[in-house]
Amino acid sequence: MIGLISATAAGAAARDRLAAAWPDRTRVYDGPVADAVRRAFGECEQLVCFLATGAVVRLVAPLLAGKTTDPGVVCVDEAGRHAVALLGGHGGGANDLARAVGEVLDAEPVVTTATDAAGLPGLDTLGLPVEGDVAGVTRALLDGEPVALAAEVPWPLPPVPFAAQGAHTVRLTDRAVPAGEREVLLRPPSLVVGVGASRGAPVEEVLCLVEGALRDAGLSVRSVAELATVDAKAGEPGLVGAAERLGVPLVTYTAEELAAVEVPNPSDAPLAAVGTPSVAEAAALARGGELLVPKRKSERADGQPAMATCAVVRRPARGRLAVVGLGPGARDLLTPRAKAELRRASVLVGLDQYVDQIRDLLRPGTRILESGLGAEEERARTAVAEARKGQAVALIGSGDAGVYAMASPALAEASDDIDVIGVPGVTAALAAAAVLGAPLGHDHVSISLSDLHTPWEVIERRVRAAAEADIVVTFYNPRSRGRDWQLPKALGILAEHRAPTTPVGVVRQASRPDESSRVTTLGELDPAWVDMMTVVTVGNTATRTIAGRMVTPRGYRWQSTAEEAR
């Protein structure tokens, strides 16, 4: 929860705007300011104070306990011009909060954390447990000193400008080793612990078994991603409690799923009890990996039979492929999620001209793999291949990456061995429609007139179906130097079903600095106005031109009733 505190009418107005934008995330604290800050500091994960920074410093100073526990604090000035990340930039999330507040209030975020100012991800913000000389290694990165990455376990990290060798080291490891001098340890969640338990197995017995197995194998408990078991044990208090104490989820599989997993140590006992010859080993190996600790049983001081078993597997890292839509071109139509994914990626794959659009948003150390027109399938294969190496990859496309862009070839190439994240973007059709008015107010369809990958016979059949169904049509890839007859042919098909006066919108370079547009009619449209950078939208029989704008009515019954009453 985010606590909101203000002292003046102007501050309250800005506070209320933020509360209205985030109704489920914020809580307004009224009353004397000192009391409000004190209460919010103890009850909320973050605070936004519409007060002077000096005042907030004095108010929170007696409340500070430590950077790992204090909430993030952002200050917004009286005029609402700046959102200052004052406390807990990384640990408390104040840096990101300042940026988010800036988006809502149209304020400039002020972030003074050194890594953020330099465009580097903080070592304590990579989403992994971190140990060692974080301050010293971070200082070396900021000073441009070579910092080496020793990756004992591959993992999809954000871009960090690591060197092949250096006096400072970031070690990515799940082994229980201490951090050396000038070294930081990052703990990837690479370990899966399969567990089985008899009914009533105590939490302490399960925990002692798991921690002992990890310790004996030289593995770090901080790299445990999950406990896994058979679904019949999903509610077993000892397993549920052990997972809670370790801070990891308890994942379950059916007996049939576990019975299909090949294990080195099957047993008749679990087969008779829950229907699978293995629980601990099979649950740990259910999603593949390397068995590091075979099944072992717990030991009880009273000499009674063991009530728990466990096995440990190192699961291979799953690469991450974000398919990112950049929008139609204008920077302010690039979504915040797209910006975040661009900064998250250590490898960027894209068309050279699209890379140029967003190159300034990339973090130092991002590896860029760019190519020219016509290499779409090659780019898709490259992006998937990099993700399979365990990298965090962003594959970019214009508009929405799923609309005539890179998502379909990439997903056709990808299998379930990588994580795929789709990031939507504003399409060219939507950008053009916003320029034209409201041409897509009712049913509409987008059709590409490029026959490079689709036979013209198929395209023509789709155009004819849209014409007969009286659907608004947006044409992508309408005309180029080598393809100048397809657009007149498609317009001729529509003209068989629509009057020459049907409104048509032509938008070139939608949202870009050299944007141009015109509203004309089906009978007056000159195909020479159109090129590959143009989107053509043809209205249906209900579309009208009103005050120079295309409008397709939504067709509600109340509208026709109102027209009849006139």
Side-chain angles (χ1 to χ4, degrees), residues 46 67 87-96 99 111 113-116 120-125 138 363:
Q46 295 174 321
K67 65 182 297 182
L87 178 69
H90 283 167
N95 293 347
D96 289 337
R99 297 184 185 100
V111 175
T113 305
T115 50
D116 289 65
L120 295 171
L123 295 176
D124 56 348
T125 67
T138 299
R363 276 182 161 150

Side-chain angles (χ1 to χ4, degrees), residues 467-483:
E468 293 173 353
D470 196 27
I471 296 176
V472 175
V473 181
T474 296
F475 288 124
Y476 278 72
N477 305 314
R479 185 173 180 269
S480 67
R481 293 178 180 177
R483 296 185 301 100

Side-chain angles (χ1 to χ4, degrees), residues 36-394:
V37 169
R38 189 179 305 108
R39 286 185 289 122
F41 200 91
E43 297 172 359
C44 297
E45 292 82 19
Q46 295 174 321
L47 279 68
V48 179
C49 299
F50 296 85
L51 305 164
T53 55
V56 178
V57 167
R58 287 188 291 272
L59 289 170
V60 303
L63 309 175
L64 300 180
K67 65 182 297 182
T68 60
T69 57
D70 292 336
V73 178
V74 170
C75 292
V76 178
D77 64 278
E78 184 76 3
R81 291 178 298 189
H82 300 93
V84 182
L86 183 70
L87 178 69
H90 283 167
N95 293 347
D96 289 337
L97 179 60
R99 297 184 185 100
V101 170
E103 291 277 349
V104 175
L105 302 181
D106 194 25
E108 181 71 23
V110 179
V111 175
T112 58
T113 305
T115 50
D116 289 65
L120 295 171
L123 295 176
D124 56 348
T125 67
L126 300 180
L128 304 178
V130 60
E131 305 168 19
D133 186 13
V134 176
V137 175
T138 299
R139 190 179 306 112
L141 284 169
L142 291 169
D143 290 343
E145 297 180 25
V147 176
L149 174 65
E152 298 177 2
V153 180
W155 209 259
L157 294 176
V160 180
F162 292 121
Q165 294 181 331
H168 296 78
T169 305
V170 172
R171 186 176 303 279
L172 190 65
T173 181
D174 56 18
R175 295 187 300 116
V177 294
E181 185 180 0
R182 293 181 294 188
E183 183 177 62
V184 164
L185 301 181
L186 294 177
R187 302 295 191 185
S190 55
L191 303 178
V192 177
V193 181
V195 288
S198 302
R199 182 178 298 176
V203 172
E204 293 299 335
E205 182 172 345
V206 177
L207 269 178
C208 184
L209 171 65
V210 170
E211 291 172 348
L214 293 167
R215 182 175 57 253
D216 293 346
L219 299 170
S220 173
V221 69
R222 302 190 76 186
S223 279
V224 174
E226 62 190 41
L227 298 190
T229 191
V230 66
D231 59 2
K233 298 294 181 178
E236 186 62 43
L239 299 185
V240 173
E244 290 177 349
R245 295 267 288 274
L246 291 169
V248 298
L250 179 64
V251 177
T252 63
Y253 300 93
T254 65
E256 290 77 15
E257 289 174 319
L258 296 185
V261 179
E262 186 175 345
V263 298
N265 300 293
S267 172
D268 292 335
L271 180 62
V274 293
T276 173
S278 173
V279 173
E281 289 181 340
L285 288 165
R287 295 182 185 172
E290 175 189 2
L291 184 63
L292 302 179
V293 179
K295 181 180 71 174
R296 60 188 285 175
K297 298 181 179 180
S298 57
E299 297 180 0
R300 306 190 67 182
D302 58 7
Q304 294 298 311
M307 299 187 72
T309 59
C310 82
V312 183
V313 162
R314 177 181 288 135
R315 185 176 293 172
R318 289 177 64 85
R320 189 176 191 277
L321 174 61
V323 187
V324 181
L326 301 181
R331 178 58 62 86
D332 59 356
L333 292 182
L334 178 66
T335 67
R337 187 181 300 179
K339 293 178 183 177
E341 287 295 342
L342 293 175
R343 295 177 63 78
R344 171 73 173 77
S346 59
V347 179
L348 182 85
V349 182
L351 179 67
D352 47 15
Q353 57 184 288
Y354 297 152
V355 171
D356 288 340
Q357 291 178 24
I358 49 83
R359 197 182 297 270
D360 63 300
L361 297 177
L362 304 178
R363 276 182 161 150
T366 304
R367 185 157 55 96
I368 300 174
L369 304 176
E370 54 188 315
S371 52
L373 287 169
E376 288 80 8
E377 293 182 355
E378 178 186 344
R379 283 195 293 276
R381 286 192 294 268
T382 297
V384 171
E386 290 292 329
R388 284 184 175 139
K389 296 176 184 176
Q391 301 286 347
V393 182

